[in-house]
Amino acid sequence: MAAALSVISGKWKLSIINQLLSGQKRYSEINRAIPGMTEKMLSQQIRELEEDGIVSRHIFPEVPPRVEYSLTPIGQELSSIFYTLERWGSHYMTITNDNGEVIQPDYTCYTLVKQDDEVVKESV
Amino acid sequence: MAAALSVISGKWKLSIINQLLSGQKRYSEINRAIPGMTEKMLSQQIRELEEDGIVSRHIFPEVPPRVEYSLTPIGQELSSIFYTLERWGSHYMTITNDNGEVIQPDYTCYTLVKQDDEVVKESV
DNA sequence: TCTATAACCTACCAAAAAGTACGTTCCGCA
DNA sequence: TGCGGAACGTACTTTTTGGTAGGTTATAGA
């Protein structure tokens, strides 16, 4: 489980994998598709994904160079993780508002003690 | 999806949630159950989980103090994420060995060019 | 000759996360 | 009169991660 997390944690890895889920792509395509990401980050993170066996790299010995990336079979199996994360995440966001405050009935029980001093949480 | 990840990423959060999946626990119980984690980390990360609405805190105004933590309903729904991560992770680990090298047939295609220079990867 | 392109790499810097060490409060107990 | 335990908080340092700015190679085209 920790292994799974360590493989996908990294600021841009989800985006990169997401790009590759729709098929083989070359470096510059991925780069253009993810705004805000620098080239250094792309090559760094995609290299880590490659070392972890998630993506594979095809180098075409041409000039100018051409490199295509695609997901390995086990990389493609990550889609189940994507699906689960997405489902929980969207459910979670319907329950919390933009400030990250919980909209649902107050699960937390701030003690009797604190309630005397101040208003800890207002109901929405 | 990013929201889901940000909620569970943190070196000890998975362990903490894992502890709470088996029911309500108090601070010191969790602390003893997770070796290597300092008290500061526990209080820091469990506070973040609380702010995210994943765990709830019950303070008993006694001396010595007693605080019990438990998962909120949406926290319990994380178990599906746990299950998916665990399943993929264990599958992943049967495919890679202890050094993180891929055991399966070589997905990566190190070019013709490189193969002349050196042995890039040995088959296991 | 000058410039642009692809797919990088390197050195350096800043910010975020984690770890270490110690302090706090209240009480019961020896 | 200390001592220990519960559940933290705070100051400081280290480690990890991400970002900026530049360089590289070889060739095609203006």
Side-chain angles (χ1 to χ4, degrees):
Chain A
M1 187 154 60
L5 257 193
S6 82
V7 158
I8 59 172
S9 63
K11 192 168 175 184
W12 307 101
K13 287 188 185 169
L14 285 181
S15 310
I16 294 171
I17 297 169
N18 203 30
Q19 286 298 315
L20 293 177
L21 278 175
S22 57
Q24 198 174 42
K25 288 237 171 72
R26 49 189 299 192
Y27 184 89
S28 50
E29 280 182 285
I30 304 173
N31 191 27
R32 274 189 293 269
I34 307 177
M37 181 186 57
T38 63
E39 294 196 348
K40 178 205 159 191
M41 278 298 114
L42 173 54
S43 62
Q44 194 182 89
Q45 306 241 330
I46 214 168
R47 193 154 295 261
E48 287 174 20
L49 288 172
E50 192 198 352
E51 280 165 14
D52 289 337
I54 308 301
V55 309
S56 65
R57 145 191 329 217
H58 273 248
I59 305 175
F60 296 83
E62 305 172 352
V63 168
R66 185 156 68 100
V67 181
E68 299 212 328
Y69 294 93
S70 57
L71 292 177
T72 62
I74 195 158
Q76 284 167 14
E77 287 170 29
L78 277 169
S79 61
S80 63
I81 286 185
F82 268 60
Y83 179 68
T84 313
L85 285 176
E86 203 162 11
R87 213 159 55 94
W88 187 89
S90 67
H91 180 198
Y92 175 74
M93 295 188 81
T94 62
I95 283 179
T96 54
N97 67 14
D98 293 339
N99 302 327
E101 289 157 13
V102 177
I103 289 170
Q104 294 261 323
D106 200 10
Y107 302 138
T108 61
C109 164
Y110 278 85
T111 57
L112 314 150
V113 184
K114 262 205 171 174
Q115 283 172 349
D116 298 337
D117 299 338
E118 63 194 82
V119 176
V120 176
K121 197 159 280 192
E122 298 170 291
S123 35
V124 184
Chain B
M1 188 154 63
L5 258 193
S6 83
V7 158
I8 60 171
S9 64
K11 193 168 176 185
W12 307 101
K13 285 187 185 171
L14 285 182
S15 310
I16 294 171
I17 297 170
N18 203 28
Q19 286 298 315
L20 293 178
L21 278 174
S22 57
Q24 199 175 41
K25 287 239 171 70
R26 48 190 300 192
Y27 183 90
S28 50
E29 280 182 284
I30 303 173
N31 192 26
R32 274 189 292 269
I34 307 176
M37 179 187 57
T38 63
E39 295 197 348
K40 180 207 157 189
M41 278 298 115
L42 174 53
S43 63
Q44 193 180 90
Q45 306 240 331
I46 214 169
R47 191 154 297 261
E48 288 175 20
L49 288 172
E50 193 198 350
E51 281 165 14
D52 289 337
I54 308 300
V55 309
S56 64
R57 152 194 318 222
H58 272 250
I59 306 173
F60 296 82
E62 302 172 355
V63 169
R66 183 155 71 97
V67 180
E68 300 213 327
Y69 294 93
S70 57
L71 293 176
T72 63
I74 195 159
Q76 284 167 14
E77 287 170 30
L78 277 169
S79 62
S80 64
I81 287 185
F82 267 61
Y83 179 68
T84 313
L85 285 176
E86 203 162 9
R87 212 159 54 98
W88 187 89
S90 68
H91 180 198
Y92 175 74
M93 296 187 80
T94 63
I95 283 178
T96 55
N97 68 13
D98 293 340
N99 302 327
E101 288 156 15
V102 177
I103 289 170
Q104 293 259 324
D106 201 11
Y107 303 138
T108 62
C109 163
Y110 277 86
T111 57
L112 313 150
V113 183
K114 261 206 171 174
Q115 283 172 350
D116 298 336
D117 299 337
E118 63 193 79
V119 176
V120 176
K121 198 159 279 190
E122 297 172 290
S123 35
V124 184

